[in-house]
């Protein structure tokens, strides 16, 4: 069982949250490009060095839930009950994350990201990192028995599902639609059809023949 955080950890978490909340408020009031790191530190009443001990960059201040997002997805893999199917567990987490990110009042946040090239670039690299972490967790699970390529493919699909569903008119319906396709792709990796198996065998034989020439 996970132990509750101690006083020092709670204080650090509270400081981190205060900095993130202050930054977001200033970004909304003045615009992202008009706010500097020193402005945020001063408003939050912390030193600049304290700010950077919690956030590596100005962009990271916008995505303060980055680590939580990544951990929730990897825990959907690692904390599953024995023999619990993977894809429903991931769908459950993505649905919860999408609902959180499409709640009332979040539209200005995503508009700010869409209108700011630096934030779009940061988000793109962040999602790739999330996909790699998720792929590592999938590939490391002996019950799943996936090749690294298959694990990375499914992980990319899952991360893309979040972005696509978040932007859809009906996010819940989009999650269901996307995960039906992910489920189908997952099943293919476990139970390839006879035609696919024969094709793979022919390709492998051809590759070997070519290498022997």
């Amino acid at each position: 069982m996970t132990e509750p955080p101690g006083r020092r950890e709670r204080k650090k978490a509270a400081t981190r949250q205060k900095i993130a909340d202050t930054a977001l408020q200033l970004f909304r009031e003045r615009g992202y490009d008009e706010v500097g790191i020193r402005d945020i530190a001063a408003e939050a009443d912390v030193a600049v060095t304290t700010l950077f001990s919690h956030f590596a960059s100005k962009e990271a201040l916008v995505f303060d839930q980055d680590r939580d997002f990544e951990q929730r997805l990897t825990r959907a893999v690692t904390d599953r009950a024995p023999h619990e199917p993977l894809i429903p567990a991931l769908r459950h987490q993505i649905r919860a994350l999408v609902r959180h990110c499409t709640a009332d009042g979040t539209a200005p946040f995503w508009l700010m990201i869409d209108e700011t090239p630096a934030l779009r670039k940061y988000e793109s690299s962040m999602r790739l990192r999330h996909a790699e972490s998720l792929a590592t967790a999938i590939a490391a699970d002996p019950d799943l028995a996936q090749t690294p390529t298959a694990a990375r493919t499914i992980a990319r699909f899952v991360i893309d599902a979040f972005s696509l569903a978040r932007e859809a008119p009906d996010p819940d319906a989009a999650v269901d639609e996307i995960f039906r396709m992910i489920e189908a792709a997952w099943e293919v990796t476990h139970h390839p059809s006879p035609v696919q198996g024969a094709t793979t065998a022919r390709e492998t034989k051809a590759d070997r023949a070519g290498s022997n020439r």
Side-chain angles (χ1 to χ4, degrees):
M1 184 173 66
T2 304
E3 295 184 2
R7 182 175 180 275
R8 182 178 181 184
E9 288 72 22
R10 292 196 302 272
K11 185 176 180 181
K12 287 178 64 176
T15 299
R16 185 179 192 278
Q17 192 61 56
K18 179 183 179 182
I19 294 170
D21 291 345
T22 300
L24 188 57
Q25 183 63 34
L26 290 177
F27 294 153
R28 286 173 172 170
E29 292 174 354
R30 306 180 193 175
Y32 177 81
D33 291 328
E34 302 304 317
V35 178
I37 290 294
R38 293 186 181 277
D39 298 325
I40 298 166
E43 188 70 20
D45 194 25
V46 298
V48 171
T49 53
T50 300
L51 186 152
F52 277 123
S53 72
H54 291 280
F55 298 95
S57 67
K58 181 181 172 182
E59 292 83 2
L61 286 159
V62 176
F63 299 96
D64 64 297
Q65 299 300 312
D66 173 13
R67 290 182 295 182
D68 179 66
F69 185 103
E70 184 173 335
Q71 290 171 3
R72 287 177 65 172
L73 286 179
T74 55
R75 286 199 299 265
V77 180
T78 59
D79 293 356
R80 290 174 10 264
H83 309 298
E84 179 184 354
L86 173 67
I87 302 304
L90 289 171
R91 180 175 59 234
H92 174 76
Q93 282 298 336
I94 289 295
R95 188 188 303 281
L97 290 165
V98 168
R99 285 177 175 175
H100 175 75
C101 292
T102 55
D104 291 343
T106 59
F109 172 82
W110 294 107
L111 180 62
M112 177 180 68
I113 294 172
D114 291 340
E115 293 179 342
T116 310
L119 293 178
R120 292 200 307 270
K121 182 178 179 180
Y122 185 91
E123 184 190 21
S124 179
S125 65
M126 181 181 70
R127 299 301 178 210
L128 286 175
R129 174 165 47 80
H130 291 168
E132 288 301 313
S133 295
L134 179 57
T136 299
I138 293 171
D141 190 323
D143 291 337
L144 300 178
Q146 289 299 310
T147 66
T149 297
R152 293 181 73 192
T153 301
I154 292 298
R156 291 284 185 92
F157 289 165
V158 170
I159 298 302
D160 285 346
F162 168 80
S163 299
L164 292 168
R166 179 181 65 77
E167 297 170 356
D170 187 341
D172 271 0
V175 169
D176 288 337
E177 181 180 3
I178 295 165
F179 268 87
R180 282 195 294 271
M181 291 183 277
I182 294 175
E183 184 81 58
W186 180 253
E187 286 300 314
V188 167
T189 67
H190 281 75
H191 308 291
S193 69
V195 173
Q196 289 171 322
T199 300
T200 301
R202 287 196 300 270
E203 290 174 346
T204 302
K205 185 176 180 180
D207 290 341
R208 289 174 178 171
S211 65
N212 291 331
R213 289 175 183 170

